[in-house]
Amino acid sequence: MFQKRRTGKRKRTKLKIKGSVCGMIAGTLLVVLTGIFLPGILIEGQERKAVGEVQAVPAQYIASDSLLAKEASESLKLNDRIQLITGQWESETQEAYSYEMTLKDYEAAALARDSMEAIYQKGQYPSDLASSYANWYTWEAFSEKAVDTTFHTYSAYYWKLIFTKYDGTEKHAVFLLEDGTVLLAEAEGKDILSDVTATEEASSSVKDNEEEKTVDKELAEQLSYTGLDVAGLRIKSDNIQEEKDASYRYFELYDKTRFIYGISTISDSQTKRNMVK
């Protein structure tokens, strides 16, 4: 009887030992298999994630020709950039990438408001684009550039900004260089030009015998970069200002629902500057 009990205890001990050994073997196998398959599973997951994502190209991988064009373009003077944009130099308008621009879109919008404020205060534009409770505007910004089509070396960068009044009664398009120069600003609205047209109608009644001036062909061609139709617009003012580097043409155009302020340069086919110095 006593002998049988001891034999049963030994069997239970052997079973415990065998169970421990099996557990150790199973654990070891699990660790080995995890080490073999887990890295592959993680790599596959990263690859699937990467396939579904589009990431920005780091700055160091930007094409060298774009950087060279940017550096070359920084040497252009104001009149050079205006001539490039207005087509007095052979050029084409293209969309500019964000990395080519010095300003962010919100910085360009703020700069446009400040520049237009100065023009408004001089009486050269009918609306103040500074937002307030009763004068609030939404805005959109588009980065663009004019690229010379002769050597594809120079580019003039600028912003096209659209300001829309909260109630939809006014819309403004501002073409802005990154130094704050307003190339052109167009105001459009039913009642926005009431003061301008009233003044011009009064002056025209006094000058009945004078021919009414409208936009000439040369100016219309120079403004083609804007995509605006300026044919038939009346000229409110058209002045030439001599400055250190060039002669600039400042003009104001209008009709019943539109007003345009702009700047260009004086072109002469016999004295156009050569891009290669």
Side-chain angles (χ1 to χ4, degrees):
M1 181 83 177
F2 180 73
Q3 185 65 33
K4 289 182 179 180
R5 288 180 180 175
R6 292 187 63 182
T7 302
K9 187 174 180 180
R10 287 176 183 174
K11 288 182 178 179
R12 286 195 295 270
T13 302
K14 289 179 180 180
L15 290 173
K16 287 182 179 180
I17 292 173
K18 288 180 179 179
S20 299
V21 172
C22 291
M24 292 174 64
I25 294 172
T28 302
L29 286 173
L30 180 61
V31 172
V32 172
L33 292 173
T34 301
I36 293 173
F37 294 106
L38 183 59
I41 294 172
L42 293 176
I43 291 171
E44 182 182 3
Q46 290 296 326
E47 288 178 347
R48 288 180 179 177
K49 183 179 179 182
V51 168
E53 292 182 352
V54 177
Q55 299 182 0
V57 177
Q60 63 266 30
Y61 296 113
I62 295 173
S64 59
D65 55 347
S66 297
L67 295 177
L68 291 173
K70 178 69 174 177
E71 292 178 0
S73 301
E74 289 176 353
S75 65
L76 295 176
K77 297 178 181 179
L78 175 60
N79 66 305
D80 296 330
R81 286 178 284 165
I82 293 177
Q83 289 181 4
L84 190 55
I85 293 170
T86 57
Q88 293 170 271
W89 285 356
E90 292 185 4
S91 62
E92 62 181 9
T93 301
Q94 300 177 4
E95 178 183 357
Y97 294 105
S98 58
Y99 65 77
E100 297 180 275
M101 308 303 290
T102 303
L103 302 176
K104 303 295 185 183
D105 55 357
Y106 62 89
E107 294 175 324
L111 182 59
R113 291 182 192 275
D114 292 341
S115 298
M116 290 304 300
E117 171 71 15
I119 295 172
Y120 170 75
Q121 292 296 336
K122 293 178 182 178
Q124 297 174 312
Y125 199 73
S127 293
D128 183 5
L129 299 186
S131 288
S132 62
Y133 180 76
N135 192 52
W136 182 68
Y137 292 88
T138 59
W139 59 268
E140 297 177 273
F142 307 91
S143 53
E144 299 183 350
K145 62 182 178 181
V147 182
D148 83 89
T149 55
T150 304
F151 303 106
H152 297 277
T153 301
Y154 296 96
S155 296
Y157 301 89
Y158 62 96
W159 289 90
K160 176 182 177 181
L161 299 116
I162 306 297
F163 294 89
T164 305
K165 197 167 184 179
Y166 71 96
D167 58 1
T169 57
E170 295 181 20
K171 188 174 182 179
H172 303 265
V174 180
F175 295 81
L176 181 81
L177 293 178
E178 293 205 301
D179 64 0
T181 300
V182 175
L183 297 172
L184 184 140
E186 180 199 42
E188 186 174 6
K190 181 179 179 181
D191 301 322
I192 196 172
L193 306 177
S194 56
D195 294 337
V196 175
T197 53
T199 302
E200 293 303 316
E201 286 174 0
S203 62
S204 63
S205 63
V206 177
K207 304 176 181 179
D208 291 332
N209 295 327
E210 293 186 11
E211 183 179 353
E212 185 178 64
K213 293 183 179 180
T214 57
V215 175
D216 58 75
K217 182 179 179 181
E218 180 183 11
L219 182 58
E221 290 177 349
Q222 291 180 9
L223 300 184
S224 61
Y225 74 94
T226 65
L228 302 176
D229 182 11
V230 298
L233 291 182
R234 299 161 66 183
I235 296 177
K236 181 177 183 292
S237 67
D238 189 5
N239 302 312
I240 307 300
Q241 291 187 15
E242 296 285 342
E243 300 186 18
K244 291 189 300 182
D245 58 341
S247 298
Y248 295 94
R249 180 180 185 179
Y250 293 87
F251 54 87
E252 297 172 37
L253 317 173
Y254 75 100
D255 63 10
K256 291 183 178 180
T257 59
R258 299 167 64 201
F259 182 92
I260 291 178
Y261 162 89
I263 178 176
S264 184
T265 57
I266 302 303
S267 64
D268 186 338
S269 58
Q270 296 179 344
T271 59
K272 280 186 178 180
R273 298 182 55 180
N274 194 313
M275 294 177 62
V276 181
K277 298 179 181 180

